[in-house]
Amino acid sequence: MKRKILFSALLGLLFPLGLFANGDPVIAFSAFVRSSNPVPLKIKEVEVVSEDLVVVPEFPYTSVAVKYVLRNTSGKDFPSIDYGFPIDYCGRIGPSYFSGDDFSESMYECGGAGNYLKDIHFLLGGKELEWTAADEVVEAASKEYDEEMGEWIHNPQSSRLWTYTRISIPAGATVTLEVKYKVMVPSTSPLYHLAGSYLSRYYPSGGDLFYDFAPAKHWGGGKCGTLSVTVDCTKLDPIFKFKGDMESPMVSGLDFKRNGDVYSCREENFDFEDAEPLKVFMWYDYDKVQTEPVWGDPFGRCQVAKDAYSLKVSGSQSSYPAGNLSDGDLSTAWVAPGDGVGSIIDIDFSSPTPVSDLILYNGYQKSSSLFTANSMISQMRLEVLRADGTWDGSVEIDAISPFSQGAALFPYSESPFCGQMLVIPLVSIYRMTFGRNKGFDDDGSVILEKVDPKDDYVKHVRITVLESRKGSKYTDLCVSEIKVMNAFQ
């Protein structure tokens, strides 16, 4: 008997949206080929008895769980069905930065989609299934509603990772297929774009989630016996819950009933063909003062273990050693000899380590008076040695400007206010999207190189002080703390 091949498909909405797939049979490629963009196939013999979707919005990861009850209404077995499920996520900056041959898959867009996706599970009848990811991430077929045109338009900005498993449905049998995963919630924060770092991972200002039902029209007669949808916002931080001229969260697309922070909908004989996508919009309440992330300490959560590296300096004043840079205490500081110009801070890793950012707490942040009185770094040079021996070298950073070479300056709030923290990306969004810059070809075009994730791990970082900004009372150059971050975990 000819074996049928099933996949799921998604028509999603676009950046800055988190996009989720809905089950759909297609035929063209098998899971062994591990390819993408398959051609839909109508499977009339297998109908969707019910679909139960649960979305739990949360930063930085939103949980998605969908349960299908599938019934084989025919008298023939489907003993070995290759089933593919596309998971879409916001992995690019936007169409103006992404076109044609300019794209080079980055270290975090390959294979398992890096930090964008995690905890992927397939279950059939409650039994965990083995699954595999596609060898490459492809552009998702996305759509966006144009208010002026009054229609849905194609707008490709999302990355798609195909995931594969295998199921069987005996003749006349009813089976339950579950798909679960977590996807990083993209942020609408302008810092996310300008700084080129995962600042939205630390300080998200909002996110949008969409789930498209229409692709499931290829099952059975294109309808679902019972559709049940729950959007559980109880875990969503209070900073994203408010009413007024705007409301957050906003849940739409179906006729939802609200019970506190839980939105639910149940429909019989649901038609996938003309279904409007589920939409969940969330915004940060800008009327509330945010001094620290109220959803926990993201910097502590993403920090690289201190035993993974050693930190050395070219010199220091006796009472203010290099150890103060990594003691987790902002009331202590490393103080350089003299005005500190020419001083070097070396971070050496015992083995190549994935590092997303350095966070530098510039100046002496024990108190606001000491922060003002002492000198701090104003200009610095950053050099990074990668695992494959490549140096990312001589990037000069203005340490007291809001943005410089992708670095972003944040006020650091305690009581009292006493300083700033400089977030320095070691792998920018541009680099992650387009690949490593290897120079220029004959016509002046940038040569971009796709690298293996482990080749881009960090072996050594060197910071050289080029200039200092003198304090109101002292010329001593101080740095209170340096944190090594891995926001890709």
Side-chain angles (χ1 to χ4, degrees):
M1 180 179 67
K2 183 177 180 180
R3 185 178 63 173
K4 291 185 180 289
I5 303 172
L6 274 71
F7 297 91
S8 60
L10 168 67
L11 293 178
L13 302 180
L14 223 335
F15 182 85
L17 315 176
L19 307 175
F20 309 131
N22 196 34
D24 173 32
V26 303
I27 186 167
F29 306 100
S30 76
F32 299 107
V33 178
R34 293 166 68 175
S35 52
S36 55
N37 301 324
V39 179
L41 170 71
K42 287 187 177 295
I43 306 294
K44 295 182 179 180
E45 300 92 337
V46 179
E47 65 180 16
V48 181
V49 177
S50 65
E51 176 181 349
D52 187 359
L53 170 66
V54 178
V55 177
V56 183
E58 190 176 4
F59 288 88
Y61 285 93
T62 281
S63 299
V64 181
V66 57
K67 180 187 295 184
Y68 304 100
V69 175
L70 306 174
R71 180 164 58 210
N72 182 355
T73 62
S74 72
K76 59 182 179 181
D77 295 330
F78 290 88
S80 183
I81 300 170
D82 292 330
Y83 181 85
F85 192 92
I87 303 178
D88 286 24
Y89 60 93
C90 175
R92 301 174 188 159
I93 299 177
S96 62
Y97 297 90
F98 181 90
S99 61
D101 296 334
D102 291 338
F103 176 66
S104 174
E105 280 188 34
S106 72
M107 55 188 285
Y108 295 109
E109 286 193 318
C110 300
N115 61 311
Y116 295 107
L117 306 170
K118 66 178 185 178
D119 297 345
I120 301 172
H121 298 276
F122 290 86
L123 300 96
L124 185 66
K127 181 180 179 181
E128 190 85 25
L129 301 176
E130 292 185 1
W131 63 276
T132 184
D135 290 326
E136 62 181 357
V137 173
V138 296
E139 181 181 288
S142 303
K143 291 201 302 181
E144 180 180 56
Y145 191 75
D146 189 298
E147 295 287 352
E148 294 184 3
M149 298 176 63
E151 63 183 42
W152 291 90
I153 59 173
H154 180 69
N155 203 342
Q157 294 190 32
S158 299
S159 297
R160 169 173 291 173
L161 176 72
W162 283 85
T163 49
Y164 298 96
T165 189
R166 179 171 292 172
I167 64 175
S168 62
I169 309 178
T174 298
V175 300
T176 300
L177 175 66
E178 298 175 76
V179 184
K180 301 177 182 180
Y181 57 93
K182 291 183 179 180
V183 59
M184 181 180 286
V185 177
S187 174
T188 56
S189 167
L191 295 176
Y192 180 84
H193 306 289
L194 294 175
S197 177
Y198 271 100
L199 301 181
S200 63
R201 178 73 177 261
Y202 304 128
Y203 286 84
S205 65
D208 305 330
L209 310 176
F210 283 70
Y211 185 101
D212 189 17
F213 297 100
K217 64 186 179 183
H218 299 102
W219 290 106
K223 294 185 178 182
C224 173
T226 302
L227 174 70
S228 176
V229 179
T230 301
V231 181
D232 185 349
C233 297
T234 54
K235 291 186 177 181
L236 188 62
D237 193 271
I239 204 77
F240 296 101
K241 300 177 185 179
F242 62 91
K243 289 185 177 181
D245 294 336
M246 298 177 63
E247 180 177 341
S248 176
M250 287 183 61
V251 181
S252 62
L254 295 169
D255 186 14
F256 283 100
K257 294 181 180 180
R258 181 175 180 179
N259 182 12
D261 290 331
V262 179
Y263 301 75
S264 59
C265 176
R266 181 182 177 90
E267 296 196 20
E268 304 296 327
N269 201 28
F270 183 79
D271 191 343
F272 290 119
E273 180 77 39
D274 299 318
E276 182 180 349
L278 163 67
K279 299 178 284 290
V280 183
F281 299 133
M282 296 166 288
W283 296 276
Y284 168 80
D285 188 353
Y286 290 97
D287 292 332
K288 295 181 180 179
V289 177
Q290 181 188 18
T291 57
E292 288 292 332
V294 291
W295 50 87
D297 176 15
F299 296 115
R301 185 170 62 246
C302 299
Q303 197 167 352
V304 173
K306 292 179 181 179
D307 60 3
Y309 61 91
S310 60
L311 200 152
K312 300 177 182 178
V313 297
S314 56
S316 61
Q317 295 188 23
S318 58
S319 299
Y320 304 92
N324 289 348
L325 287 171
S326 58
D327 63 358
D329 185 357
L330 291 179
S331 68
T332 67
W334 164 69
V335 180
D339 63 3
V341 175
S343 294
I344 294 173
I345 301 172
D346 282 316
I347 304 173
D348 189 59
F349 294 86
S350 55
S351 62
T353 303
V355 179
S356 60
D357 313 282
L358 297 181
I359 300 179
L360 187 144
Y361 294 82
N362 206 358
Y364 196 177
Q365 300 199 15
K366 183 176 182 178
S367 67
S368 56
S369 58
L370 285 173
F371 179 75
T372 303
N374 285 276
S375 298
M376 60 192 297
I377 300 173
S378 60
Q379 294 285 335
M380 55 186 281
R381 180 188 300 119
L382 180 71
E383 299 167 281
V384 182
L385 175 62
R386 303 288 171 180
D388 63 359
T390 301
W391 277 95
D392 290 343
S394 298
V395 177
E396 294 191 9
I397 296 173
D398 184 341
I400 56 177
S401 293
F403 300 102
S404 175
Q405 293 293 332
L409 190 66
F410 282 91
Y412 180 77
S413 297
E414 280 190 335
S415 182
F417 168 80
C418 59
Q420 299 166 327
M421 56 186 179
L422 183 69
V423 182
I424 307 169
L426 299 195
V427 181
S428 69
I429 288 178
Y430 184 93
R431 176 182 178 131
M432 290 169 59
T433 303
F434 294 98
R436 183 185 288 171
N437 188 335
K438 298 297 291 183
F440 300 89
D441 60 16
D442 295 337
D443 64 3
S445 300
V446 177
I447 301 173
L448 300 166
E449 178 189 57
K450 175 181 173 181
V451 296
D452 184 272
K454 291 186 178 180
D455 288 344
D456 222 23
Y457 285 2
V458 176
K459 292 179 66 176
H460 190 87
V461 176
R462 168 165 287 189
I463 295 172
T464 303
V465 179
L466 302 179
E467 295 179 15
S468 65
R469 186 177 72 178
K470 291 180 172 56
S472 61
K473 188 174 182 179
Y474 306 112
T475 59
D476 299 320
L477 183 140
C478 308
V479 178
S480 290
E481 191 79 13
I482 294 177
K483 293 182 179 180
V484 182
M485 310 300 292
N486 177 21
F488 305 138
Q489 57 192 344

